[in-house]
Amino acid sequence: GNALNGRIAIGGAKNAALPLMVASLLTADTLVLSRAPRLADIRTLTELLRQHGVEIDMYAAGAGHEMSLRTPAITSTTAPYDIVRKMRASALVPGPLVARCGQARVSLPGGCAIGTRPVDLHIRGLQQMGAAIELESGYIEAKAPKGLRGAEIVFPFVSVGATENLMMAACLAKGETRLVNAAREPEVADLAHCLVAMGAEIDGIGSDTVIIQGRDSLHGARHEIIADRIEAGSFAIAAGMAGGCLELDGIELGLIGIAAETLRAAGLTLESIPKGIRVTAERGGIIGTDVMTEPFPGFPTDLQAQMMALLSVANGASMVTETIFENRFMHVPELVRMGANINLHQASAMIRGVPHLTGAPVMATDLRASMCLVLAGLAAQGETVISRVYHLDRGYERLEEKLAGCGADIERVREGG
Ligand code: UD1
């Protein structure tokens, strides 16, 4: 129930860091990534990349961490089920592996808490670039012994991961690749900028048509990972729920995009300050607002759960529609247990604001859903105990420290529990 006041440093974006790390498979030289966040997903990907032959070091540098990745040779082209099942970003490795050494054997990711999340677009794109694909014992086997060739790939719908995977593959393919209806997320553009620094030729960065001219090889580079817009948006919502004033350090307001407009419509004040964003909110001043998740530049699905926590204490009603994932409302029953008034109908949730939430024992189900419960707990009357917080560590660095530093009454009582 405490108001939040203070400064919070925003880290490098998890969803930019993961594909950037994978890009190190494309060259024998060293790729140095600065502003690397320390997160469980980064550790999982480190484990996967190491067994492909990537030498990885992470060390403190300045305000953040620097990561150095070097792949003198690909020592294994297999991405095993044990690691892939932990993290969907593993789906990014087949493109670079086939592009660099003509083959990849990658476990299918399987289902996950927020839907079936297939990889058919990744597979189809690689086939169009000349890879022969077979499915065997739960593994995708991709082979292109003579290398990949450029192609025109038209995505039937937007996929962040497929755009990234095929963009990386195209950098080492023969000739030109056009990715049409490509994802325009800032993290995709960040990857493209890094690939250009590594010697790739890419046009249309940040647009829905990306054109890549293949090269024989890429070289090393240094690259600073962009700020995490989802982390920043989550803390902005925390200020909205608890009331107070937070300064989010190291991110520009423009990067938050339409989420800033949505938060303003919900009654928060967001303004640019030197090297950051100031968020001010009055407790009890939240206004019901309709939200629909969409590919960038639309409202990000990765902020949907957190936004729903905010709207559950708004004045008036809100409709939240999820268009990206078919099963991303797992936080709803938990919010309802805390006193929220939410009705689900297919892909939409009708939220009728209540004056306050009440603390309860709740269970985290996925990364963003766990943040939604933390936010709800901050504003609720009484104590909230969240179990399975390991989900949080996949995407939020030192969350309880950052919030407690601004006045929140939050502590981790058991590691990983
Ligand atoms: C990325 C983000 C994730 C975010 C999501 C949507 C990373 C590491 N993760 O995930 O946090 O929630 O974008 O912004 O960057 N799909 C298919 N076939 C495919 C690929 C995707 O049907 O081959 C579907 C998915 O099931 C989903 C939708 O397309 O319904 C969008 O998925 P996609 O954009 O690929 O998400 P990810 O890259 O997995």
Side-chain angles (χ1 to χ4, degrees), residues 14-16 18-19 41 88-89 91-92 114-123 157-164 183 185 187 229 294-296 300-302 323-326 328 367-368:
K14 167 179 87 78
N15 285 354
L18 296 170
D41 272 10
R88 178 166 163 90
L92 297 172
I114 58 172
T116 49
R117 302 181 93 179
V119 289
D120 52 320
L121 299 186
H122 300 242
I123 296 177
F157 52 89
V158 175
S159 162
V160 172
T163 303
E164 293 169 339
E185 268 67 5
E187 294 77 17
R229 62 196 170 100
E294 281 172 308
F296 191 85
T301 173
D302 286 351
T323 73
I324 311 283
F325 292 112
E326 77 268 29
R328 205 168 198 182
L367 167 55
R368 306 302 170 186

